[in-house]
């Protein structure tokens, strides 16, 4: 089954992730598969997203890693992003494609250098349960996370410090 979907910025391509441990790129107009499946994860692909220019894709997986891919060839770029202690629930680029934020069942989010795959700073800690999603704001200065703990939190993307109190409701 398909677990996640996303368009590229101009709407010409779609990326899907699946229980079969792959992601796939599709032509949004014809529905045809582009290139080969993105293979390398060892468990379900839970999230897939293009960078703003459509040249790269980031995927997250229950295998505890995220991976970066060349959106033209489907080839992996660099080594897997390793550091989460449990499955990755989401992965997203910042607007200029220089950083990635991931969230995880390990109750944290992490920031990564999108060029080197190296973690930036310490994990974002504060949620009391699975962090289901994480995203940068348009300027890349803040991150918002959502969790099964029934809160969302805002973080300083440079320092990893929380901003304000958790959003509850």
């Amino acid at each position: 089954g398909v677990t996640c979907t996303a368009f590229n910025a101009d709407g010409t391509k779609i990326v899907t992730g699946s229980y079969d441990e792959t992601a796939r790129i599709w032509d949004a107009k014809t529905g045809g598969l582009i290139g080969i499946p993105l293979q390398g994860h060892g468990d379900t692909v839970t999230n897939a997203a293009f960078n703003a220019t459509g040249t790269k894709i980031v995927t997250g997986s229950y295998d505890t890693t995220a991976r970066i891919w060349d959106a033209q060839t489907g080839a992996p770029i660099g080594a897997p992003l390793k550091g989460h202690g449990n499955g990755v629930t989401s992965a997203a680029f910042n607007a200029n494609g220089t950083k990635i934020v991931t969230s995880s069942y390990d109750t944290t989010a992490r920031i990564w250098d999108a060029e080197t795959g190296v973690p930036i700073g310490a994990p974002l800690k504060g949620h009391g349960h699975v962090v289901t999603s994480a995203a940068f704001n348009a300027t890349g200065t803040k991150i918002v996370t959502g969790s099964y703990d029934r809160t969302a939190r805002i973080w300083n993307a440079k320092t990893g410090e929380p901003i304000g109190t958790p959003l509850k409701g």
Side-chain angles (χ1 to χ4, degrees):
V2 175
T3 57
C4 56
T5 58
F7 278 103
N8 66 345
D10 69 8
T12 59
K13 294 179 182 174
I14 295 167
V15 62
T16 59
S18 175
Y19 287 115
D20 73 2
E21 304 176 4
T22 71
R24 294 169 194 257
I25 305 166
W26 307 87
D27 183 305
K29 188 171 185 176
T30 67
L33 184 64
I34 297 172
I36 59 171
L38 285 55
Q39 294 182 305
H41 281 297
D43 205 333
T44 298
V45 174
T46 57
N47 183 264
F50 286 94
N51 65 350
T53 58
T55 57
K56 294 180 182 176
I57 291 168
V58 63
T59 55
S61 171
Y62 285 149
D63 70 6
T64 76
T65 71
R67 295 183 74 107
I68 303 167
W69 310 85
D70 183 307
Q72 300 300 326
T73 66
I77 298 173
L81 309 184
K82 293 184 179 179
H84 281 295
N86 206 326
V88 173
T89 55
S90 75
F93 286 97
N94 65 348
N96 68 10
T98 59
K99 294 179 183 174
I100 291 168
V101 63
T102 56
S103 61
S104 173
Y105 277 92
D106 70 8
T107 74
T108 72
R110 287 179 171 261
I111 305 167
W112 309 85
D113 182 304
E115 294 301 314
T116 65
V118 173
I120 298 172
L124 308 183
K125 293 183 178 178
H127 282 292
H129 210 302
V130 174
V131 181
T132 56
S133 62
F136 287 95
N137 68 345
T139 58
T141 57
K142 296 177 183 175
I143 291 169
V144 63
T145 55
S147 172
Y148 283 171
D149 71 7
R150 300 182 180 182
T151 70
R153 290 177 177 258
I154 303 168
W155 309 84
N156 180 312
K158 285 202 184 302
T159 66
E161 294 296 315
I163 298 172
T165 58
L167 310 177
K168 297 181 180 178

